[in-house]
Amino acid sequence: MQKNGYSRVKREFSNLSRRVNQLIISHEWEHISEFVRNILIKKLNSLYRRLYRFVNAAELRKILAAAAIFISFPLISKAQSFQLPLQNPFGFIPPQTDFISPAFADLDGDADLDMLAGTYEGNVVFYENTGSVNLPLFATGQTNVFGLTQNGDLAFIATADIDNDGDIDVFSGGYYGTIWYQENTGTPVSPAFSPAIANPFGLTPSVQFAIPALTDIDDDGDLDLFVSEYYGNLKYYENTGTVENPSFAAPVQNPFGIQQAYMLGIPAFADIDHDGDMDLFEGEYYGKIKYFQNTGTPSLPAFAAPLENPFGLVSADTYAFLAFADIDHDGDADLFAGEIYGNLKFYENTEINTGIYKPETAGDFMLFPNPGNGKFTIELSGATKGNVHVFVANAAGQVVFHDGFAIRQQGEKRTYNPELSSGIYYLTVETVDGNVTRKLVIR
């Protein structure tokens, strides 16, 4: 590429990135037509492909900022979008406490995600998911069950199978910087936790407010530990042991380009842009949610400057104790935020429903358009014979539409217009091969 040509392309790329970012930040992006969105994204990709051999990838991502969610070296990635938060969803009853720190795991082996919540008093509350894998419903909380214990003031919870034995272990940070560990000595369907151990596996205490998060940040197969502490620093403890026998190195403060947060930076990790590495989200003292895109690689992380409340997110109340979980089993990472007065905010990730480039695939059927204005089509791409039943349920689990028919040919399509009001529904297609449920968004 000639020097003058490079400068022109980079200038055009920067201008278009700025335009897309303005649309995203102002929330106008979701209101412009699919045709226009496709034109803008294809143009961004075209310019990106012309530049990425000549310009450092981190610099390109910095230029893209929020628009980077559409670019993936160099192919298009689906856009992320979070719904406005719901407070205390799925039957959740807040504990009588000043804040909760949520963590999610399938503790009882029934395939849905249960919740543990640490409290101001240092207790751990278990909320069993008595609903289904698609339609969660949390039972009344049980305090310090399965041998879980109160370990001083405050409890900030992280769950993980740290010893690779197939069940979920629990880490809990506290007010004075201690990290407590309780090994699950039970089974994947019947948890039982051993007495708490302070600062295991070579860990050293933090300054104050030790808030843990576990992720394999260096792609070596074991889980590394990040601990947020008061004054906004984030400490990284590399796991230099093995998958079965963890051992943590001395902490490194604010590594990989991570910026110090204001007062607190409560960490949560997810590969939000589907590029194979773990991105960082931080909840801050006044409830802001900051996103640090990992512009490095799965084994060599490097975090870009943070974006505040991206992807349609809005601030939580004071504090934002973040946790990601695919709570509705639709293949994307939903976000929860525990708050100062014990409430829980739920930000549903509607990414898989964007439908910008192609109909979404779900098992043996496709569903499109989704979101839509009421009319939708299913295409049976896998099933070839037998009877089919189509159910649409509302968020409360009540069936509001049903149809049944016999398959006449492979790839058979059915279009419906059941006159549903705006909202989130769950569409289930039952065939002789089983059933698949997907979210259906009606605008």
Side-chain angles (χ1 to χ4, degrees), residues 4 12 21 76 80 123 132 139 144 162 186 194 233 244 270 276 295 302 311 328 344 367 390 405:
N4 59 347
E12 187 177 357
N21 282 314
I76 291 173
Q80 307 296 305
N123 295 311
S132 69
N144 299 331
I162 195 67
S194 63
N233 291 312
E244 292 83 12
T295 58
F311 314 126
D328 47 13
L344 183 69
L367 169 63
V390 179
F405 59 91

Side-chain angles (χ1 to χ4, degrees), residues 346-410:
F346 169 59
Y347 302 81
E348 183 188 359
N349 187 340
T350 59
E351 172 230 353
I352 204 165
N353 292 311
T354 53
I356 294 174
Y357 309 110
K358 60 182 180 180
E360 64 182 276
T361 301
D364 60 356
F365 79 93
M366 293 190 293
L367 169 63
F368 55 97
N370 195 13
N373 293 322
K375 182 185 289 187
F376 61 90
T377 298
I378 61 170
E379 179 178 348
L380 302 174
S381 55
T384 58
K385 61 181 180 179
N387 294 322
V388 176
H389 290 277
V390 179
F391 300 91
V392 177
N394 60 23
Q398 300 167 320
V399 176
V400 294
F401 175 78
H402 168 250
D403 182 43
F405 59 91
I407 298 175
R408 295 170 296 182
Q409 59 185 359
Q410 187 171 3

Side-chain angles (χ1 to χ4, degrees), residues 280-284 288-292 306-310:
L280 169 66
F281 287 73
E282 284 189 344
E284 287 200 324
K288 295 175 183 178
I289 299 172
K290 290 193 173 178
Y291 165 59
F292 298 77
L307 299 174
E308 188 176 296
N309 294 337

Side-chain angles (χ1 to χ4, degrees), residues 7 16 61 64 114 345 391 424 438 441:
S7 299
L16 184 57
R61 295 254 178 184
L64 282 164
D114 309 298
K345 277 193 165 61
F391 300 91
I424 303 295
R438 301 300 287 172
V441 180

Side-chain angles (χ1 to χ4, degrees), residues 79-102:
Q80 307 296 305
S81 179
F82 289 92
Q83 294 274 38
L84 291 175
L86 300 176
Q87 185 160 295
N88 303 327
F90 313 126
F92 172 75
I93 300 174
Q96 300 299 310
T97 186
D98 279 347
F99 73 74
I100 60 167
S101 167

